[in-house]
Amino acid sequence: MKDKSILSEGRQIQLATELVRLGARLQVLEASTSLSRERLVKLYKEVKGASPPKGMLPYSEDWFTGWQPNMHASLFINIHSYITRYTKVRDIDAVIKSYQLYLEHIEVNCLQRILSFTRAWMLVRFVESKVLSVTPCVKCSGNFLVHSLDIKSNHVCGLCHVPSRAGKTKRPVQEVVEVQEVAVKEACAM
């Protein structure tokens, strides 16, 4: 009986360590593991070498509907949907695997990381609670995030109808749009 609890605790510590390395906030660790807050704070300090950040989690679902965040969030949620549909990976393990694939995808395509692990975790919660949903674009047929109460029958994604201020960064707008368009369309067409 005692060995089983030691193994279980070891798995919880391993999960918490992986979450910290991916950038999860303390609240995510508390919701995803059975370890006490004190142990999680201690583990966080050991892994990161600093105390966990204080404050509330980013809560607004509106953040996911902005042009660039929507492209990255749509990419992530399509990866997550694929994993949960075609594998036996579920819950926090599915979020971890999806986020790792998201990171690989943006690295290979030389994109800026927009979606933090905590935001990705919140995104899954928003989709599961039906605050946000995925709908296909009528032009490219890619699946993109929208508010669940939005009219979805004529949805045109941010790649097919790029907002005038989209991509106003240090890189030229057309370059940003082209790179993101290719990368996101490939992933969202799953």
Side-chain angles (χ1 to χ4, degrees):
M1 186 86 157
K2 190 168 179 116
D3 290 335
K4 192 173 183 182
S5 68
I6 291 171
L7 286 174
S8 176
E9 185 177 18
R11 283 189 209 105
Q12 292 294 305
I13 291 169
Q14 186 177 10
L15 172 61
T17 302
E18 187 169 7
L19 291 171
V20 170
R21 286 191 179 123
L22 287 171
R25 299 267 303 266
L26 191 58
Q27 296 93 323
V28 176
L29 300 174
E30 288 179 302
S32 304
T33 69
S34 59
L35 299 173
S36 70
R37 182 177 179 84
E38 293 76 27
R39 294 206 57 196
L40 290 171
V41 169
K42 206 176 205 180
L43 182 67
Y44 193 99
K45 286 179 182 178
E46 190 174 325
V47 173
K48 286 283 192 180
S51 295
K54 295 186 178 359
M56 295 177 61
L57 292 179
Y59 182 71
S60 175
E61 72 275 2
D62 291 333
W63 183 87
F64 297 102
T65 59
W67 180 75
Q68 194 173 30
N70 186 264
M71 298 305 107
H72 286 258
S74 295
L75 170 63
F76 171 81
I77 206 66
N78 278 287
I79 293 169
H80 184 268
S81 295
Y82 186 87
I83 285 175
T84 56
R85 186 179 306 134
Y86 296 109
T87 70
K88 293 180 180 179
V89 181
R90 298 287 180 269
D91 304 320
I92 192 66
D93 293 325
V95 178
I96 290 169
K97 296 290 184 208
S98 302
Y99 193 71
Q100 289 169 334
L101 286 171
Y102 163 76
L103 291 176
E104 286 179 29
H105 185 80
I106 64 169
E107 184 180 327
V108 165
N109 290 288
C110 302
L111 299 172
Q112 177 187 4
R113 182 179 63 91
I114 301 297
L115 196 63
S116 69
F117 183 85
T118 300
R119 284 205 191 266
W121 179 77
M122 288 295 298
L123 172 58
V124 170
R125 293 171 65 104
F126 283 139
V127 171
E128 287 174 349
S129 65
K130 298 186 183 355
V131 171
L132 294 173
S133 61
V134 177
T135 194
C137 170
V138 294
K139 289 189 175 182
C140 69
S141 301
N143 294 314
F144 293 88
L145 277 170
V146 295
H147 281 281
S148 291
L149 299 177
D150 286 351
I151 298 171
K152 300 170 198 146
S153 59
N154 294 319
H155 178 71
V156 178
C157 72
L159 293 175
C160 292
H161 185 284
V162 180
S164 60
R165 299 284 305 155
K168 298 289 184 193
T169 62
K170 292 178 184 174
R171 288 170 65 182
V173 175
Q174 192 57 35
E175 182 185 333
V176 170
V177 170
E178 287 171 4
V179 169
Q180 292 212 1
E181 207 170 277
V182 171
V184 174
K185 278 189 179 179
E186 287 173 1
C188 292
M190 287 187 219

